[in-house]
Amino acid sequence: QFSWQWDFGNGKKDTAQNPEPQVYETDGTYPVTLTLTDASGCTGRAETLVTVRPAPEVDAGPDAAICFGSSYQLKASGAVKYTWEEAPSLSCTDCATTTATPKEDRQYKVTGYDSFGCSSSDLVTVSVRQPFDLKIEGKKDICIGETVELTASGGFLYTWQSSGEVSDPASPILTATPQVSTLYSVVAKD
């Protein structure tokens, strides 16, 4: 008959022969001691050091916004080995750098491992800007000397272009008095 006395160096003790696994909240070196006492009261002692390594500081990179149909390169750092959560829109799931081609907003999770097998995870979000419906409205046939007002809608930032004069190319509303037939076009961004 033996009695077991464990001291795990983390403030916890146990009297079981096979104690539960221990959790160490901070990295460092901890002395672990086992004192074994037999029925006669004789004791034996064993001690070892347990080194708790810090988790790597994994960074999945900055969040990004892309246009629909575009790709974005995700680049993880802070570890020596990486695993991206399985996603069909990734070109590689076991590398630091992978290309994401999502069709809608998507959050990607990467887990990084250091040389000791310690791990931590981080998330990166790729927002996908969906195509928008750009429209130009207004009277398109005018007489010489009349003013035309064209209104662009569907975007957020506009740039009007023309072979003629454009007084405020960044406005969603174009007002012009062309003397000849003139082609006006607008580029919009969301």
Side-chain angles (χ1 to χ4, degrees):
Q1 183 75 10
F2 293 98
S3 69
W4 307 79
Q5 183 62 47
W6 291 91
D7 183 339
F8 299 104
N10 61 355
K12 295 185 181 171
K13 299 178 188 256
D14 200 328
T15 57
Q17 179 179 352
N18 296 306
E20 294 293 318
Q22 294 297 301
V23 174
Y24 292 84
E25 300 296 331
T26 58
D27 58 280
T29 302
Y30 298 86
V32 176
T33 306
L34 169 61
T35 304
L36 184 63
T37 306
D38 67 13
S40 303
C42 298
T43 62
R45 181 180 166 113
E47 187 172 311
T48 190
L49 294 176
V50 172
T51 301
V52 178
R53 309 246 178 231
E57 293 185 24
V58 175
D59 183 5
D63 292 345
I66 62 172
C67 294
F68 181 83
S70 298
S71 296
Y72 183 72
Q73 191 174 62
L74 303 175
K75 186 170 185 180
S77 61
V80 295
K81 180 183 172 195
Y82 301 92
T83 302
W84 291 91
E85 190 174 271
E86 187 66 35
S89 60
L90 291 178
S91 63
C92 175
T93 57
D94 62 353
C95 45
T97 303
T98 185
T99 302
T101 313
K103 293 183 179 1
E104 57 191 23
D105 293 357
R106 174 80 193 227
Q107 193 171 62
Y108 296 96
K109 179 180 180 181
V110 64
T111 301
Y113 302 87
D114 66 13
S115 58
F116 298 102
C118 299
S119 66
S120 67
S121 299
D122 193 28
L123 301 170
V124 61
T125 300
V126 179
S127 301
V128 179
R129 304 286 190 245
Q130 299 298 324
F132 55 89
D133 189 18
L134 178 61
K135 294 180 182 176
I136 298 175
E137 296 176 353
K139 188 175 177 184
K140 297 187 178 70
D141 292 317
I142 62 170
C143 297
I144 289 181
E146 288 184 337
T147 299
V148 64
E149 184 175 282
L150 301 175
T151 302
S153 63
F156 182 70
L157 299 172
Y158 300 94
T159 304
W160 287 95
Q161 299 169 345
S162 170
S163 58
E165 183 180 323
V166 176
S167 61
D168 186 2
S171 172
I173 300 172
L174 169 81
T175 303
T177 310
Q179 298 303 309
V180 295
S181 292
T182 305
L183 176 64
Y184 294 97
S185 62
V186 66
V187 175
K189 293 182 181 179
D190 63 356

